[in-house]
Amino acid sequence: MRVKIRHTIPGHTILDIDKAMKELVIEDLGTYREQTVIKHYGGRDEPDAIREAFMTGAMVRLFIRIQLEDSMHLIEQTEPTKITLHCDRATKANWYRTRTCTYTQVS
């Protein structure tokens, strides 16, 4: 599953997010590891920040929806246990940074 979120028109954004959320396979009672990698545009090859956290599947659903509404523009789920969100447009609105957030089911 791969869905691109259009942030140009609010109505399209909501429709795209709803479509993506319906297609996601998330086990609500499972435990997931979240890893967020942030890089500044034109910076070094290594990331500027990495954040990791553990949460339930229900919280993952909530976090994904918030991230898609905010600035993430691409969501991918190639296997049932791994979800990846991308924001690779380094614009002024994104503070000239790119972000990748990966949720991996651990149990």
Side-chain angles (χ1 to χ4, degrees), residues 1-24 65 68-69 72-73 75:
M1 184 272 294
R2 179 181 169 106
V3 177
K4 190 170 186 171
I5 308 299
R6 299 170 289 175
H7 285 278
T8 53
I9 300 172
H12 291 171
T13 303
I14 299 302
L15 291 173
D16 291 346
I17 292 170
D18 288 343
K19 176 185 174 196
M21 297 304 290
K22 287 178 188 172
E23 292 183 27
L24 278 179
R65 182 157 196 102
L68 290 175
E69 288 176 0
M72 295 292 197
H73 71 274
I75 181 168

Side-chain angles (χ1 to χ4, degrees), residues 54-102:
F54 289 90
M55 59 186 69
T56 65
M59 290 300 294
V60 167
R61 259 184 221 284
L62 179 65
F63 272 64
I64 287 175
R65 182 157 196 102
I66 291 168
Q67 289 174 326
L68 290 175
E69 288 176 0
D70 179 38
S71 64
M72 295 292 197
H73 71 274
L74 181 64
I75 181 168
E76 296 177 297
Q77 185 172 29
T78 55
E79 53 190 78
T81 59
K82 186 175 180 180
I83 303 164
T84 306
L85 299 147
H86 299 279
C87 176
D88 57 8
R89 295 179 187 145
T91 64
K92 185 176 181 180
N94 295 332
W95 298 291
Y96 298 103
R97 64 184 184 178
T98 62
R99 290 183 296 155
T100 301
C101 186
T102 304

Side-chain angles (χ1 to χ4, degrees), residues 20-31:
M21 297 304 290
K22 287 178 188 172
E23 292 183 27
L24 278 179
V25 176
I26 297 176
E27 186 179 319
D28 287 340
L29 298 177
T31 302

Side-chain angles (χ1 to χ4, degrees), residues 33-52:
R33 180 176 68 104
E34 174 198 43
Q35 183 180 38
T36 303
V37 177
I38 300 172
K39 291 184 177 183
H40 280 85
Y41 180 71
R44 303 165 288 158
D45 287 337
E46 61 268 1
D48 294 306
I50 297 175
R51 180 179 67 114
E52 290 190 5

